[in-house]
Amino acid sequence: MLFIGSTDVARAPETRVYRHTGHGALEAHVFDPAPHARTDAAILLFHGGGYFTGSPAATFDTARAFAEAGFTSVAVEYRLSNDRITPLEALADACAALDWVRSDPRFAGLDRSKVILYGVSAGAHLAVNSITHGCRPDRPPPAALLLFSPGLDVLGHAPRFAAQLRGRADPRAHAPLETMAAALPPIAIVHGAADAIDPIETSQRLCRLQRQFGGVCRLDAVPGRGHLLSRSLDRQVPGPGFVPDREAARRADAFFIRFLREQVLAPQ
């Protein structure tokens, strides 16, 4: 959503295979931080697309913005739903990516406790679901959650999700707004106030739950903007007629970076 022109991070990412599956190898695209701003934290980025479309490249500009701010940024490929693959495979991939960044020698200079998850739309659900449904119980949660136009209401506003599961799981078990039973890591959300795909009320509900459990949640509601901060409210998904607000996207990146500096990088 934001292109950074710095010679430090504008180059193409380093692409590595982080997992082999029965459906092929999965890639992660690593943007190393600008040397002048390097931190010991990393951000995993999960693209949107309703679990059936999209690619890591959709998050590359935001990954560059995070890298310019000093964060090792990793745009993650996960398996997309079809007649054989379900969101359960995507969840397994997200968990594997988190383990990989925490354990692979490529990231030896990072603090394992400072791995952050960023998600767009369905990718935001994937990030939250990795905590509320969970990966392995012996794995620590990420340090923070950054959610952009999150698609959290898989029981109401995203009915496709239940069909994508193909009867292999109860969709209620993967509905964060229904299963959340304790505070999550600190959460920052950017959501268009006129979002007709995933209404902002779902993010407001997540923040209320988070605060009730004693957690931190910051919501930046962007007036007059739709899903993915679209200027065109009658076309809120990418395609003909979709007009993203690029300046609002830049402000979203800055909002997330400020939040991380306060919640993750500041001395505890």
Side-chain angles (χ1 to χ4, degrees):
M1 284 176 277
L2 169 63
F3 178 77
I4 295 293
S6 165
T7 56
D8 287 330
V9 296
R11 62 186 183 276
E14 177 188 0
T15 298
R16 292 201 170 201
V17 171
Y18 76 90
R19 189 178 198 208
H20 293 276
T21 76
H23 306 104
L26 294 174
E27 295 181 337
H29 308 274
V30 184
F31 294 83
D32 284 314
H36 69 275
R38 184 183 300 271
T39 74
D40 59 355
I43 305 175
L44 274 64
L45 296 92
F46 300 107
H47 66 83
Y51 279 107
F52 69 94
T53 189
S55 77
T59 65
F60 279 9
D61 289 346
T62 294
R64 290 187 178 101
F66 289 154
E68 179 70 16
F71 298 89
T72 298
S73 301
V74 184
V76 178
E77 178 187 16
Y78 57 88
R79 284 172 287 180
L80 300 177
S81 295
N82 56 29
D83 58 354
R84 297 173 295 116
I85 298 171
T86 76
L88 300 179
E89 280 73 32
L91 178 58
D93 298 337
C95 294
L98 182 57
D99 283 346
W100 177 68
V101 168
R102 283 174 166 165
S103 63
D104 193 276
R106 169 67 171 78
F107 306 103
L110 298 178
D111 185 334
R112 289 165 53 93
S113 70
K114 293 181 182 177
V115 181
I116 299 132
L117 303 186
Y118 168 94
V120 179
S121 193
H125 172 265
L126 180 58
V128 178
N129 198 35
S130 72
I131 304 172
T132 53
H133 184 275
C135 297
R136 288 176 50 176
D138 60 339
R139 294 293 192 266
L145 291 167
L146 310 178
L147 310 179
F148 187 91
S149 294
L152 301 171
D153 187 9
V154 294
L155 299 183
H157 292 282
R160 180 187 292 113
F161 182 80
Q164 288 172 328
L165 288 173
R166 296 186 167 274
R168 289 177 47 195
D170 184 344
R172 290 172 294 184
H174 296 270
L177 296 176
E178 309 302 326
T179 61
M180 187 173 164
L184 303 180
I187 302 170
I189 308 173
V190 173
H191 208 136
D195 192 328
I197 307 299
D198 292 298
I200 194 170
E201 288 78 13
T202 57
S203 286
Q204 292 168 335
R205 184 179 170 193
L206 177 66
C207 273
R208 285 196 301 271
L209 288 169
Q210 173 79 336
R211 291 166 184 155
Q212 287 170 11
F213 287 121
V216 173
C217 190
R218 307 274 172 78
L219 171 59
D220 183 8
V222 184
R225 295 295 176 259
H227 195 59
L228 307 178
L229 301 187
S230 173
R231 290 179 176 273
S232 176
L233 300 185
D234 59 355
R235 178 69 189 199
Q236 297 195 19
V237 294
F242 176 74
V243 184
D245 186 333
R246 299 188 184 281
E247 179 56 34
R250 292 186 183 94
R251 292 195 299 268
D253 292 340
F255 170 76
F256 288 136
I257 291 165
R258 288 194 303 271
F259 181 82
L260 293 180
R261 287 175 174 158
E262 173 192 326
Q263 295 293 323
V264 177
L265 300 183
Q268 300 300 310

